């Protein structure tokens, strides 16, 4: 039996999807025929993230391609984009880029680089950034970058994993089972990668450059300390609308 819109809504509700009607609209619009709709609905009911099922996520007013095995950008991360946009960077590095959504969404950038350690993320980011002339590198944090990029970036934006290892099991099932563990695990206290990034960011920033790291309210002080101890002038920006926290470090020269 070919599912109609009401059938899709009912099936999603039965599966526990809170926003069943919204998801139904997206599934129906994304499917090219009834058979594809039934297949996509089955995947969603089985617990796959909606974004992986349809192949895109709505982020900062545009569709961003996102594929199975790649971290799905959250709406709260739009605040990180806003914070970066306020600095008007010309050269930008999107570190731990995942799909490349953050770098792609910051306006006015004339030279965009992105990096991730995960092969699936790099492939997805290339798909998103090729159209705007962005360059994607694969490797562990700054090790991914060629040395000629030292001291080049006006801003480095980072949405590194910041879920404490012991709390990953408490995350929603679709994140735990369908997003890469490496994109979730922030170490024992959640700030392990923040400390690693902050320790070497100076080498890659231009004079008066800025480091922006998304974090959580609980980890804000740990992220602040990591950036401050690395020699930055640090500040914490919060958004009630996005329920988001970004720590911003500025170089003194």
């Amino acid at each position: 039996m070919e599912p109609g819109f009401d059938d899709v809504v009912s099936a999603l509700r039965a599966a526990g999807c809170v926003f069943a009607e919204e998801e139904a609209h997206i599934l129906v619009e994304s499917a090219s025929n009834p058979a594809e709709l039934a297949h996509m609905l089955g995947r969603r009911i089985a617990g796959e993230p909606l974004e992986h099922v349809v192949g895109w996520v709505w982020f900062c007013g545009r569709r961003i391609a996102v594929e199975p095995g790649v971290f799905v950008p959250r709406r709260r991360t739009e605040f990180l984009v806003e914070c970066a946009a306020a600095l008007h960077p010309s050269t930008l590095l999107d570190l731990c880029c995942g799909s490349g959504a953050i770098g792609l969404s910051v306006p006015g950038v004339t030279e965009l680089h992105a990096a991730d350690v995960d092969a699936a993320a790099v492939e997805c980011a290339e798909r998103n950034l090729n159209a705007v002339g962005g360059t994607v590198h694969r490797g562990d944090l700054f090790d991914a970058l060629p040395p000629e990029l030292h001291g080049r970036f006006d801003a480095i934006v980072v949405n590194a994993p910041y879920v404490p290892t012991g709390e990953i099991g408490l995350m929603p099932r679709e994140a735990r089972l369908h997003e890469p563990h490496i994109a979730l695990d922030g170490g024992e206290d959640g700030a392990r990668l923040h400390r690693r990034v902050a320790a070497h960011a100076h080498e890659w920033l231009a004079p008066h450059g800025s480091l922006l790291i998304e974090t959580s309210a609980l980890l804000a002080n740990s992220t602040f300390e990591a950036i401050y101890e690395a020699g930055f002038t640090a500040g914490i920006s919060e958004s009630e609308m996005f329920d988001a926290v970004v720590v911003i470090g500025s170089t003194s020269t």
Side-chain angles (χ1 to χ4, degrees):
M1 180 178 176
E2 297 176 352
F5 178 79
D6 290 340
D7 299 316
V8 175
V9 172
S10 297
L12 292 170
R13 283 179 178 160
C17 297
V18 177
F19 303 104
E21 289 195 4
E22 293 179 21
E23 293 197 13
H25 280 294
I26 293 173
L27 287 170
V28 169
E29 291 172 4
S30 299
S32 58
N33 56 63
E36 185 179 20
L37 175 59
H39 177 67
M40 294 169 72
L41 177 61
R43 290 174 60 190
R44 180 62 182 129
I45 290 172
E48 284 192 59
L50 176 67
E51 297 82 3
H52 286 170
V53 172
V54 300
W56 56 270
V57 60
W58 192 254
F59 185 83
C60 286
R62 73 172 78 191
R63 287 189 180 189
I64 305 290
V66 61
E67 301 165 2
V70 177
F71 181 79
V72 177
R74 275 46 165 182
R75 184 172 182 269
R76 64 175 171 267
T77 302
E78 293 186 10
F79 181 57
L80 177 57
V81 172
E82 286 191 1
C83 291
L87 300 174
H88 307 289
S90 177
T91 55
L92 179 72
L93 171 63
D94 182 356
L95 195 61
C96 302
C97 67
S99 65
I102 300 169
L104 182 63
S105 301
V106 177
V109 174
T110 58
E111 183 178 350
L112 173 60
H113 292 264
D116 203 290
V117 71
D118 183 72
V122 168
E123 183 177 342
C124 186
E126 287 177 338
R127 178 181 171 190
N128 284 315
L129 300 187
N130 281 346
V132 297
T135 303
V136 185
H137 311 268
R138 185 183 176 193
D140 182 27
L141 300 180
F142 296 110
D143 288 345
L145 304 177
E148 59 265 26
L149 292 178
H150 273 110
R152 290 283 302 281
F153 297 107
D154 298 322
I156 299 173
V157 290
V158 186
N159 185 18
Y162 56 86
V163 179
T165 304
E167 296 181 14
I168 291 177
L170 304 177
M171 296 185 71
R173 181 174 178 269
E174 60 186 43
R176 286 186 286 109
L177 299 183
H178 295 283
E179 292 183 309
H181 187 86
I182 197 172
L184 304 174
D185 190 354
E188 184 176 357
D189 69 345
R192 178 186 61 197
L193 287 171
H194 296 175
R195 287 188 286 270
R196 289 185 59 202
V197 169
H200 297 283
H202 268 291
E203 305 166 28
W204 301 92
L205 285 167
H208 306 291
S210 297
L211 171 65
L212 302 90
I213 301 181
E214 178 179 307
T215 189
S216 67
L218 292 176
L219 286 179
N221 288 337
S222 295
T223 305
F224 177 94
E225 289 174 6
I227 290 178
Y228 179 78
E229 290 175 3
F232 290 91
T233 299
I236 299 175
S237 295
E238 302 179 63
S239 170
E240 291 186 8
M241 181 177 72
F242 289 105
D243 188 25
V245 181
V246 172
V247 180
I248 303 174
S250 302
T251 58
S252 56
T253 58

